[in-house]
Amino acid sequence: MKAIYLIGFMGTGKTTIGKALGEQLKVQVTDCDDAVVENAGKSIPRIFEEEGEQGFRDMEQQTLMQLPSDNHVIATGGGVVLRSENRAHMKKNGIIVWLEASTDEILKRLESDQTRPLLAGGNKAERIQVLYDARKDLYEMTADIRIDTTGKRPDEIIGEIMSRLAESHV
Ligand code: S3P
């Protein structure tokens, strides 16, 4: 089986769905953010603070490229689609599933979150909207499979992904 890359905005459930999907498919799961943190030896907010967003993006790219691409589910960070190298790598090595959610639902899920530097300070709803608008086309052009997660339970989302994967003969 080729790798399955989960992409999508912050708060769309990539980590949770990634774990459940890995169990269902009986393959290993890696969360790209966790791998970055492990490689860097520091948290994501600290990486942003000390190395800036570009420093984080360099680490993210390097980590993504090092992850195994066979029999693996990979939950990516929401900004992984920003670099064309990352998009090309995922296209080449796997099938890409986009977890989508409305910005209202994303705001609800991230309302009290303190771990995402790009949403820290200022008006969270506004920040989400600006980033979402800037990235939507990138998710769309990168994805092989698009799943709307708004209002759905994890088991429903997994069911949908499994049937879409079956249709794609993965
Ligand atoms: C980011 C999303 C985060 C993490 C970092 C940057 C982004 O991952 O990689 O804070 O640019 O959207 P999640 O999508 O898992 O929150």
Side-chain angles (χ1 to χ4, degrees):
M1 193 194 85
K2 285 166 100 181
I4 294 171
Y5 293 98
L6 297 179
I7 64 167
F9 202 80
M10 293 172 263
T12 51
K14 300 179 297 291
T15 302
T16 311
I17 298 300
K19 281 185 193 146
L21 188 62
E23 271 174 34
Q24 183 90 23
L25 291 167
K26 300 191 172 36
V27 297
Q28 253 191 298
V29 183
T30 300
D31 186 283
C32 192
D33 280 344
D34 288 350
V36 169
V37 168
E38 200 176 309
N39 287 344
K42 51 190 170 192
S43 70
I44 290 180
R46 252 190 86 198
I47 299 171
F48 270 75
E49 209 178 294
E50 291 175 11
E51 334 254 348
E53 179 172 354
Q54 288 323 304
F56 172 77
R57 297 291 168 215
D58 290 342
M59 292 180 196
E60 180 178 54
Q61 180 178 347
Q62 208 177 20
T63 303
L64 179 76
M65 308 276 165
Q66 285 167 354
L67 294 178
S69 50
D70 274 339
N71 296 316
H72 223 90
V73 171
I74 297 166
T76 64
V80 81
V81 293
L82 294 172
R83 289 202 172 170
S84 61
E85 295 90 338
N86 295 347
R87 300 197 299 269
H89 176 84
M90 294 190 290
K91 279 272 178 213
K92 180 165 168 255
N93 291 292
I95 180 141
I96 304 170
V97 178
W98 172 24
L99 300 183
E100 212 191 350
S102 68
T103 46
D104 282 351
E105 174 114 357
I106 290 168
L107 180 61
K108 256 191 255 160
R109 292 184 194 168
L110 297 180
E111 204 125 49
S112 55
D113 178 81
Q114 302 288 337
T115 65
R116 271 90 167 182
L118 292 178
L119 301 180
N123 181 326
K124 205 172 245 180
E126 223 169 78
R127 277 175 189 253
I128 289 173
Q129 197 62 55
V130 168
L131 282 175
Y132 189 87
D133 290 346
R135 291 175 178 183
K136 189 171 187 289
D137 290 350
L138 292 174
Y139 295 130
E140 188 145 24
M141 68 185 260
T142 310
D144 298 304
I145 293 173
R146 169 180 184 165
I147 306 278
D148 188 356
T149 67
T150 307
K152 291 181 192 151
R153 296 186 314 268
D155 61 301
E156 291 176 287
I157 297 167
I158 295 295
E160 262 186 56
I161 296 176
M162 291 300 285
S163 62
R164 296 288 299 279
L165 288 174
E167 283 165 18
S168 324
H169 306 290
V170 180

